Amino acid sequence: MEVPILKQGSYLIATVQSALSDADLVQLRDALVERVGRFRARGVIIDVTALDVMDSFATGTLSDVAQMIRLRGAETVIVGIQPDVAFSMTHMGLTLQGITTTLDLEEGLSYLERATGSVSRR
Amino acid sequence: MRSAVVASEVRLTVESDIDVVTARMRGRTLAAQMGFPPILATIIATTISELARNILQYARSGEIVLRPVEVGSRLGLAVEARDDGPGIPDIGLAMQDGFSTAGRLGLGLPGVRRLMDEFEIHSISGSGTMVRVRKWLP
């Protein structure tokens, strides 16, 4: 299932709405990297609240997204990792090293406002 | 008899990345039905996702079998991943953190071993791989 990406001010917000296949994750990565340029976005939020698992492929792909978007000159925040998912990732040894995560969308937006010096509404 | 109420085994063919998602969702549902708390159901779903992806990546197709097991007074869930792929030439290497022939993180199999209570792997070069894991109900 394709992940909808909303543009809000100078940010892009991708909200995962169901379990994602590997192809869906790759599609999300490519769409975000392309749209950061098209919309001249300063920040990207990926909301994974509804994601059922963060396995090695999901973790690796989201790390790649954040790294690619940073190379494109924007900031990425991953928000909404659920307690069970965080527990499972930690036991597996999966980390999102060097990637900003926040509790939820609200925290993610306020992080981006501080980090990019821009606001979500304008 | 607790074993009388649990579902019988579930066999799932894995030949596309949608099948990986389906398998892990079936696993989560079965775990919940068996009384696993959500945190362990997530661990079981994550395990199935890794094992099913390995089938797809290295063997193109195979099978995931989910089976309630009872040993003595313990009840658990067994997950078996089977394929007729090329096999793993060096299991010791495949179980090392950070080793991957597919250019990924290389945390799949060693991660699964850390997540589950029991872990077994059998692979014959040229004729396939079988991974069998178990998680016991707390």
Side-chain angles (χ1 to χ4, degrees):
Chain A
M1 181 186 268
E2 200 168 313
V3 178
I5 300 171
L6 300 177
K7 181 180 181 296
Q8 182 163 341
S10 51
Y11 305 148
L12 296 176
I13 302 173
T15 308
V16 176
Q17 296 182 323
S18 65
L20 297 181
S21 70
D22 292 0
D24 296 331
L25 281 160
V26 168
Q27 194 274 338
L28 173 64
R29 180 196 68 196
D30 296 347
L32 282 173
V33 172
E34 185 267 325
R35 280 181 218 191
V36 159
R38 197 195 324 159
F39 295 115
R40 309 190 74 77
R42 304 282 304 278
V44 172
I45 290 179
I46 305 171
D47 187 345
V48 297
T49 306
L51 194 58
D52 62 332
V53 303
M54 278 272 262
D55 58 13
S56 62
F57 189 86
T59 305
T61 307
L62 291 179
S63 294
D64 290 349
V65 173
Q67 168 73 356
M68 289 161 84
I69 286 170
R70 195 180 63 81
L71 291 169
R72 300 275 278 147
E75 290 274 339
T76 301
V77 191
I78 293 171
V79 311
I81 294 178
Q82 294 302 293
D84 294 354
V85 172
F87 184 84
S88 181
M89 286 176 72
T90 305
H91 271 239
M92 250 193 112
L94 298 174
T95 59
L96 282 169
Q97 211 138 28
I99 292 158
T100 305
T101 55
T102 64
L103 186 65
D104 54 21
L105 186 57
E106 190 181 344
E107 292 292 328
L109 283 168
S110 63
Y111 169 83
L112 281 184
E113 283 171 17
R114 290 193 304 274
T116 67
S118 58
V119 291
S120 57
R121 293 175 195 280
R122 68 176 180 200
Chain B
M1 281 280 284
R2 281 194 298 175
S3 59
V5 299
V6 301
S8 54
E9 69 172 34
V10 180
R11 307 175 83 88
L12 301 153
T13 302
V14 178
E15 52 194 11
S16 78
D17 68 345
I18 301 294
D19 296 335
V20 175
V21 176
T22 306
R24 75 188 186 216
M25 288 177 136
R26 290 292 294 275
R28 183 189 294 273
T29 305
L30 180 58
Q33 283 169 352
M34 290 177 65
F36 279 96
I39 207 157
L40 295 183
T42 298
I43 279 179
I44 288 163
T46 307
T47 295
I48 294 168
S49 196
E50 294 291 347
L51 296 179
R53 177 177 304 101
N54 277 356
I55 288 175
L56 209 57
Q57 203 150 43
Y58 296 103
R60 287 167 178 268
S61 72
E63 190 179 45
I64 294 275
V65 182
L66 310 173
R67 186 183 299 126
V69 287
E70 192 172 13
V71 176
S73 60
R74 286 198 302 179
L75 193 61
L77 177 59
V79 179
E80 207 173 281
R82 279 198 293 253
D83 67 61
D84 302 321
I88 302 170
D90 187 339
I91 289 179
L93 203 55
M95 292 309 299
Q96 276 175 27
D97 279 333
F99 179 81
S100 172
T101 55
R104 300 302 315 173
L105 291 179
L107 286 169
L109 280 182
V112 165
R113 181 159 63 177
R114 283 191 285 268
L115 288 179
M116 300 304 273
D117 296 328
E118 288 175 24
F119 180 99
E120 242 181 279
I121 182 165
H122 303 280
S123 187
I124 298 166
S125 199
S127 63
T129 302
M130 196 273 290
V131 181
R132 186 186 290 140
V133 296
R134 283 177 178 180
K135 193 81 187 171
W136 297 108
L137 262 171

